[in-house]
Amino acid sequence: MELRLLEYFLAVAREQNITAAAKSLHISQPALSTQLKIIEDQLGKQLLIRGVKGSRKVLLTEEGMILRKRAEEILSLVKRTENEITQSDTAIAGNIFIGTGETEIVRLFAMVAKKMQKIYPDIQYHISSGNAEHVLEYLDKGLIDFGLLFTEIDQQKYEAIPVPIKDTWGVLMRKNSPLAEKEVICPEDLWDKPLIISQQKGHNNYLVRWLQREESELHIVATYNLLFNASLLVDEGLGYAICYDKLINTHGSNLCFRPLSPELKASGFIVWKRYQVFSKAANIFLQYLRDMLEAEMKQMNQEFHGNT
């Protein structure tokens, strides 16, 4: 299928109107309708429902929604490839794509980007937020260069470097909650409490081990993908959110954070596809990242030996 046809289809999906889409594409409405029929004939599936409720509005069928998602990914990858190939041989410019969940470790990427900005001001950084499945899917499709994950890595498919900085688990709660009077939260403190937990795959495995209870034995009232949304549930008194520290600014709010005891920390990995061919910008970013992680590790070792 030609890329031009995908662009036509996306225009119709975006406008939900063939006439409006034709106008945005600067072609006639009959010509666009013909192109849409060609796509449906090639795939052997109806992609659009025309004349919804007697109007000129069109809706996507289930197959149409699948094509829309894939078309967006394909055209994004084509555009990215064109940009990388047409870059100047001397100037270092381009885009770096990173996929990650919500974590304070993202600050590490910001530190690297800030350091590079003085020398390579024409590099742009794009952060895509999502869970582990989202990050791995985008890595596999070549839509991002690097991913930040907290799950086990398939070493046959990916290369990874560990991040010495760790996230601390704890509980986000209202300041007037009974548990807010405690300095740390123990497993038994949460056994009978309404809990709001992460949807992140792998998170619940070691949280359940820490809680010393099966998930079915806990009172889980909600799950979250983005902690900001979970913080609103907490603020309304729905329950206690188990989450990482430093992601919600509790200063001046009704909320507070208490760490878990025994302490529970999460280790992250910066991951990329094995045998990945990076752009010049991504290669330089990876080198800067390695240097910063090495410096961070040396500093942590010095502090450790200084305290022993």
Side-chain angles (χ1 to χ4, degrees), residues 105-116:
I105 297 176
V106 172
R107 188 178 297 276
L108 179 66
F109 295 135
M111 293 165 63
V112 173
K114 179 63 177 177
K115 190 173 182 180
M116 290 176 57

Side-chain angles (χ1 to χ4, degrees), residues 185-219:
I185 305 300
C186 301
E188 57 269 24
D189 295 328
L190 300 175
W191 289 346
D192 61 345
K193 298 296 187 295
L195 303 180
I196 302 170
I197 65 172
S198 169
Q199 298 172 2
Q200 180 81 15
K201 184 179 180 181
H203 277 180
N204 295 342
N205 293 335
Y206 49 83
L207 282 177
V208 164
R209 288 196 295 269
W210 181 88
L211 284 162
Q212 303 169 23
R213 287 289 188 274
E214 294 297 326
E215 193 169 332
S216 59
E217 299 177 282
L218 300 171
H219 182 28

Side-chain angles (χ1 to χ4, degrees), residues 223-272:
T223 64
Y224 67 88
N225 186 27
L226 298 175
L227 184 56
F228 176 76
N229 293 335
S231 72
L232 300 181
L233 302 183
V234 174
D235 195 30
E236 289 298 323
L238 183 64
Y240 297 80
I242 305 179
C243 59
Y244 292 152
D245 193 6
K246 300 180 181 178
L247 295 182
I248 298 296
N249 184 5
T250 58
H251 181 71
S253 75
N254 296 324
L255 306 180
C256 63
F257 180 90
R258 298 291 182 266
L260 302 181
S261 178
E263 186 179 61
L264 185 63
K265 289 184 176 289
S267 300
F269 298 87
I270 295 170
V271 183
W272 62 95

Side-chain angles (χ1 to χ4, degrees), residues 11-22 32 55-58:
V12 174
R14 182 178 60 250
E15 300 289 345
Q16 295 187 321
N17 181 283
I18 296 177
T19 302
L32 179 56
S55 69
R56 295 185 178 182
K57 185 177 182 180
V58 296

Side-chain angles (χ1 to χ4, degrees), residues 91-138:
I92 302 297
N95 300 280
I96 295 171
F97 297 84
I98 301 168
T100 177
E102 291 182 298
T103 167
E104 174 73 6
I105 297 176
V106 172
R107 188 178 297 276
L108 179 66
F109 295 135
M111 293 165 63
V112 173
K114 179 63 177 177
K115 190 173 182 180
M116 290 176 57
Q117 191 177 49
K118 298 177 182 178
I119 305 174
Y120 307 107
D122 295 325
I123 293 178
Q124 292 184 342
Y125 304 87
H126 307 273
I127 305 293
S128 175
S129 299
N131 57 22
E133 290 87 347
H134 167 93
V135 173
L136 289 172
E137 179 185 357
Y138 273 46

Side-chain angles (χ1 to χ4, degrees), residues 248-300:
I248 298 296
N249 184 5
T250 58
H251 181 71
S253 75
N254 296 324
L255 306 180
C256 63
F257 180 90
R258 298 291 182 266
L260 302 181
S261 178
E263 186 179 61
L264 185 63
K265 289 184 176 289
S267 300
F269 298 87
I270 295 170
V271 183
W272 62 95
K273 284 176 65 177
R274 189 171 288 278
Y275 312 117
Q276 172 78 21
V277 179
F278 285 126
S279 65
K280 294 176 182 178
N283 261 322
I284 293 172
F285 181 83
L286 180 58
Q287 186 57 56
Y288 270 72
L289 191 59
R290 287 184 185 275
D291 292 344
M292 185 165 290
L293 287 173
E294 184 178 341
E296 184 73 28
M297 185 65 74
K298 285 182 179 178
Q299 182 178 348
M300 291 176 67

Side-chain angles (χ1 to χ4, degrees), residues 36-77:
L36 294 173
K37 187 175 186 307
I38 290 174
I39 300 174
E40 291 182 321
D41 289 344
Q42 286 182 354
L43 296 176
K45 296 288 185 179
Q46 181 181 355
L47 302 174
L48 301 168
I49 302 174
R50 298 161 174 83
V52 178
K53 295 182 179 180
S55 69
R56 295 185 178 182
K57 185 177 182 180
V58 296
L59 296 178
L60 299 181
T61 63
E62 183 176 350
E63 290 81 5
M65 288 186 283
I66 294 173
L67 180 61
R68 177 177 186 171
K69 180 181 179 183
R70 300 306 180 201
E72 288 172 344
E73 293 171 351
I74 290 168
L75 293 176
S76 174
L77 189 57

